[in-house]
Amino acid sequence: MKYKKIWGCLLGFLVGGMSMAQAPVAGSQVPAASSIRFPKGFLLGTSTAAYQVEGAYQADGKGESNWDFMANKIGVTQFTIGKKETGNVADNMYDRATYLKDIALMKALGVNSYRFSIAWSRIMPQGTGAVNAKGLAHYDQLIADLRAAGIEPVVTLYHFDLPQALIEKGGWANPASADWYAAYAEVIFKHFSPKVKKFITFNEPYIEFFVQHYLMNLEQSKAPANVRYAAGMTGAHHMLLASARAVATYHRLKLPGQVGITLNLSPVLPFTPGNAAETAVVPLQDELLNGLFLDGVLRGSYPRRALDSLQKYNPTFRPTAAELALLKANRPDFLGVNYYAPAFVKVDPTAPLGVNWLGLNPEPAPTSNNGPSRPDQLYALLMRLKADYQNVPVLITENGAAYGEPDEAVVNGTINDARRCQYLLGHLAAVQRALAAGSKTLGYLHWSYADNFEWIFGYSIKFGLVGVDRTSPALTRIPKQSYYLYQSILKQQPK
Ligand code: BGC
């Protein structure tokens, strides 16, 4: 019952805004596909993550991860979608015969890059100590197969899946987590360089700590919401320290590539344009959602207002001068940006720290699962990174949409995902516009290559350019209209 309430609450947060009143959709003009052009060498690709696509959850000596545990032993999806779904099989992309077909589809699509993540639990099944040679060999082969197809691997070291053995030692709340991760990262960098030239230390610390952990931390669920929310900062800080340690190692080893970190970033807007109370909480929500991570990673400091609000409920969180110096000294080479939609904020005394954005969506239903299509806000975000963060090089590591039916219906063997097509076009055009205005964006990787295990939503929510027929034993892939649209755009890029 307790679980049900927590997951019901998250579901409410995430979809709560979908039935909001009709309002005009801003920034939604769609350009012609033929007008989309990027500079030579610009990365154009797709993105996935290990737990969401690999399956083979016990193969070749893999250890248990937190998501293996939560999906199989707690049954997290059954509380949100009423079905017990897991990543045990997912898209079966651990299997070489299967992923070779996927690589062939990506090659036909025309991408020059592909972001995937390594499962820590395959490399170090217990999180620390012994390294599993079969885990390394799997990714060696995948990287070789991608490169043979002319596709550059972009490798995330950690995308929400922590070895369960480390959860049992306190997970990210344990200050030793930065040591565990630093050792893991060193193994990865030494082993996969120089075949991999772009590494990403972490995916979306904000989502992990202030959305997932906040709602999933069952031990602390009796604590008041503010305390439970603010507790996330301890783990988030350890994660940023771990990232900085990895950046330091990468630079010390003088490896021939670049290392970055991926943040989820969303410009914050008042839910009701012009509403004074909502406008007044925009700066706090912006600091909580964006500023903490941008400043932490790129300036080695945390913004005062957010820090004060968090420390009020998490008084033991006191970053030391040495820790902040570590962050400052180890700025990543590029910033990975996951952008889906802006965050619309409301004053809400029942929400942590009195502000709420999760699931709030003022635009006409139905919009994508992660919010409305607002390419204008991707442009605004890229301009902000240029102006406020010394034009840091940016790699868009995720951007995508999941509209649900009828877009995902298979009709005569094809999937006409018209709204994803519009979303894709609009956001590519926004990137093109930002480049013209001086942004140092290095590439755009669409989320996702194929429909996959969408965390607590299981397989019910689909972000892929390629559909997966889950009724067929081979998990047959069905390229959608958006795949063909992206293909036509990729074809016209300078080689
Ligand atoms: C995550 C992905 C997820 C996507 C779509 C991002 O928060 O990095 O793993 O599937 O959003 O919701």
Side-chain angles (χ1 to χ4, degrees), residues 52 159-160 203-204 338 340 370 398 447 454-455 463:
Q52 297 181 268
H159 194 124
F160 301 158
N203 182 67
E204 300 188 344
N338 290 355
Y340 286 87
N370 286 357
E398 289 183 30
W447 185 272
E454 180 56 29
W455 307 114
F463 276 91

Side-chain angles (χ1 to χ4, degrees), residues 400-437:
Y403 288 97
E405 301 304 333
D407 293 45
E408 302 297 344
V410 184
V411 180
N412 299 329
T414 63
I415 300 175
N416 191 3
D417 55 341
R419 287 176 290 183
R420 183 176 293 103
C421 289
Q422 307 264 304
Y423 183 99
L424 174 64
L425 266 178
H427 287 80
L428 285 172
V431 176
Q432 178 173 337
R433 202 152 69 83
L435 281 168

